[in-house]
Amino acid sequence: MKKSLRIVNHSFVCIGIIVVLVAGRLFAQTGTNSTTGWGNGFVKTNGQYVIIGNMMYDTNSPLNTDEFKHFMWRDYELMKIANSSSSNATDQLVEGAWALVKDYPQRANGYQSIMMAIEDYEYEGKPAKSQALADELIASSAPEQYKLWAKGFLNRLYSRGKPVSLQFKAVDGRDVGLAQMRGKVVLVDFWGTHCGPCVAELPRIKAAYDKFHSQGFEVIGISCDTDLKELEDYVKQHDISWPQYFDGKQQDDNKFTVAFGIDGIPHMFLVDKKGLLRFDNVRASDTYHAKGDTTSIEEKIAKLLAEE
């Protein structure tokens, strides 16, 4: 599964959980709100509050129903599958996510798990499965926002080795466009000042910029911040000199995150001197690499700079 830190909108996030349940048990429960599935302490109460999984609700909350508890358990089990080391975990995630969509079409979690699986297939080096699942999501009855994301993901997938279109007026007034940056190697960084992993990677990005800028290396920031002053203050305080795109929208609605199907930040890609997207899912940290990729961000930049 994809070993990246991503911002997700699930009702809760499970971290580092080991799967102790056969996936078939999860899917066998589809279509029923039986309480047998979420025993063993998944639902607790102290009288004033009910704790469902790792979320606390007032006992008088309209969510304190068997139907909601069963939904939460189903999603909880999906996240355990997603975080497992099983060789077919992504296939199991897809099966469970579509089952969740079928039984709870008004809740976002099933669609978000499908988005997760699309990205995980890509990370695992299975672009055909990513494409097929994205097409399936687009053809489904999913809300439009998920279809738009899937179309953006396919746009990025199909852009590998092809020219990338990106143009905007930066926060500081600069006109920025990849078409006008031909002859340069460009890192496009989708980030936010409130995103811990994004901020943690900035020093290494800045070091690469300082090292390679004179050789023709540029960076473009796509900010997912909602407060312009905070972004401007942060950029000034940390001496970030490359241009920043800002539209005041978070990653779910940001113009370019939607256009490129970016589901989690940080996310970066590298464009070569010809304006072609050459490396996607680039990370400054050596901890996070797509399957089979062991080259550092500096090595990728140097490789592209060395090309004619």
Side-chain angles (χ1 to χ4, degrees), residues 291-302:
K291 186 175 181 180
D293 181 10
T294 59
T295 56
S296 68
I297 186 172
E298 292 86 1
E299 290 173 307
K300 291 180 172 69
I301 295 167

Side-chain angles (χ1 to χ4, degrees), residues 52-255:
I52 306 173
N54 60 356
M55 300 293 290
M56 181 180 291
Y57 303 89
D58 190 281
T59 54
N60 295 322
S61 168
L63 295 176
N64 186 15
T65 65
D66 282 350
E67 191 253 1
F68 183 70
K69 292 169 185 173
H70 191 264
F71 160 75
M72 290 284 280
W73 174 78
R74 291 265 298 276
D75 192 51
Y76 177 87
E77 294 300 325
L78 270 184
M79 291 303 97
K80 288 186 357 184
I81 291 172
N83 285 284
S84 79
S85 57
S86 170
S87 60
N88 66 338
T90 307
D91 293 337
Q92 293 178 6
L93 176 63
V94 171
E95 182 182 354
W98 281 125
L100 198 65
V101 165
K102 177 182 177 183
D103 292 341
Y104 301 94
Q106 301 306 312
R107 299 194 184 278
N109 300 46
Y111 299 114
Q112 291 168 348
S113 291
I114 291 166
M115 290 165 62
M116 185 185 301
I118 290 170
E119 290 193 320
D120 286 335
Y121 278 137
E122 179 194 23
Y123 169 81
E124 293 165 7
K126 302 173 182 176
K129 282 198 169 187
S130 280
Q131 177 184 339
L133 188 55
D135 285 335
E136 189 176 358
L137 181 59
I138 292 169
S140 74
S141 57
E144 190 61 26
Q145 69 187 92
Y146 303 112
K147 295 184 179 185
L148 282 175
W149 175 85
K151 291 175 182 177
F153 173 87
L154 290 176
N155 173 47
R156 178 162 48 88
L157 189 68
Y158 296 151
S159 293
R160 306 283 178 84
K162 297 178 181 178
V164 182
S165 176
L166 191 154
Q167 188 164 350
F168 61 89
K169 184 175 285 293
V171 168
D172 60 10
R174 279 181 280 181
D175 289 318
V176 179
L178 287 176
Q180 289 75 46
M181 300 173 81
R182 297 287 171 85
K184 306 280 189 179
V185 172
V186 184
L187 177 73
V188 181
D189 180 20
F190 297 83
W191 75 297
T193 61
H194 294 281
C195 165
C198 302
V199 170
E201 295 199 348
L202 275 175
R204 191 162 176 180
I205 296 172
K206 192 171 186 300
Y209 181 81
D210 293 340
K211 178 179 180 179
F212 294 111
H213 180 61
S214 62
Q215 301 175 44
F217 175 60
E218 301 286 351
V219 180
I220 292 175
I222 306 297
S223 169
C224 295
D225 288 285
T226 58
D227 188 311
L228 178 58
K229 186 175 187 305
E230 282 188 358
L231 173 63
E232 290 177 322
D233 289 347
Y234 189 94
V235 166
K236 181 178 180 180
Q237 179 183 352
H238 292 84
D239 193 27
I240 299 172
S241 58
W242 54 83
Q244 300 289 332
Y245 171 78
F246 174 86
D247 63 11
K249 297 179 180 178
Q250 295 181 344
Q251 66 181 53
D252 288 346
D253 300 312
N254 181 289
K255 175 182 176 180

Side-chain angles (χ1 to χ4, degrees), residues 264-293:
I265 54 176
H267 187 110
M268 295 179 277
F269 58 71
L270 276 165
V271 177
D272 68 13
K273 295 178 181 179
K274 297 178 182 178
L276 311 182
L277 196 163
R278 291 287 297 280
F279 294 108
D280 192 15
N281 289 311
V282 176
R283 294 291 296 271
S285 170
D286 290 326
T287 306
Y288 307 103
H289 286 294
K291 186 175 181 180
D293 181 10

